[in-house]
Amino acid sequence: KELGEELPSPLLLLGFSKGGAVLNALMREAKATLWSRVQAVHFIDTGLNVPGVFVVQGLQELKEVVPENFEIWLHCTPRQLEDPGRPFVAKEHDEFQERCKSLGFVVHRRLYGEGLPVSLEMHFDAIRCFETSQDDKDSGP
């Protein structure tokens, strides 16, 4: 495919680690030309070194432009959620999930690597094994 060609539909948007902040910026803007074609967003082991990775404003506007089957996926590892130097990461995930659910979004949350030693490799391995849908047979625990 070449630049300038029509984007496929439906779209899946992915944000890994700090890339989750980019997804949130797009969610705040809630442009119907983009979001009416998005089937799901996947936040893959999202987190920053400072608070503020997840949006809390603008979600109502997003709800008005996404398709009925739109889903939000939170893919997490202990590397992000259990980091003692960044306790706000787990709190932000919890608050974002609750805010989305309160607005009627379908939210899926998966934890990968539970019980394994926390490592940077675990963080990057989340890309390999994240579940893309409820029917995904290739994802890993």
Side-chain angles (χ1 to χ4, degrees), residues 1-8 37:
K1 300 274 179 184
E2 294 294 322
L3 290 176
E5 290 187 20
E6 179 94 16
L7 290 174
R37 299 168 55 189

Side-chain angles (χ1 to χ4, degrees), residues 28-84:
R28 274 193 299 272
E29 293 181 20
K31 303 280 188 216
T33 53
L34 170 67
W35 287 102
S36 63
R37 299 168 55 189
V38 176
Q39 180 180 345
V41 293
H42 292 264
F43 292 91
I44 306 167
D45 220 21
T46 301
L48 297 174
N49 290 328
V50 296
V53 73
F54 286 110
V55 64
V56 289
Q57 292 101 7
L59 290 173
Q60 185 61 47
E61 291 81 7
L62 180 67
K63 181 71 174 154
E64 295 170 11
V65 297
V66 294
E68 273 188 42
N69 63 343
F70 177 76
E71 299 175 326
I72 297 172
W73 289 76
L74 301 173
H75 305 277
C76 312
T77 70
R79 167 82 165 83
Q80 292 287 55
L81 296 185
E82 298 174 10
D83 185 341

Side-chain angles (χ1 to χ4, degrees), residues 84-137:
R86 299 178 303 143
F88 55 85
V89 172
K91 183 178 182 211
E92 287 184 348
H93 275 79
D94 293 343
E95 290 172 353
F96 181 70
Q97 180 176 350
E98 288 310 309
R99 176 77 173 127
C100 289
K101 284 184 173 184
S102 74
L103 292 170
F105 287 105
V106 174
V107 180
H108 305 279
R109 187 168 178 165
R110 299 292 185 266
L111 179 62
Y112 306 94
E114 191 170 25
L116 297 175
V118 174
S119 67
L120 187 58
E121 183 178 308
M122 168 188 282
H123 177 60
F124 288 102
D125 201 32
I127 297 170
R128 181 189 58 80
C129 64
F130 80 95
E131 187 175 349
T132 59
S133 72
Q134 300 251 32
D135 302 323
D136 187 351
K137 306 282 189 258

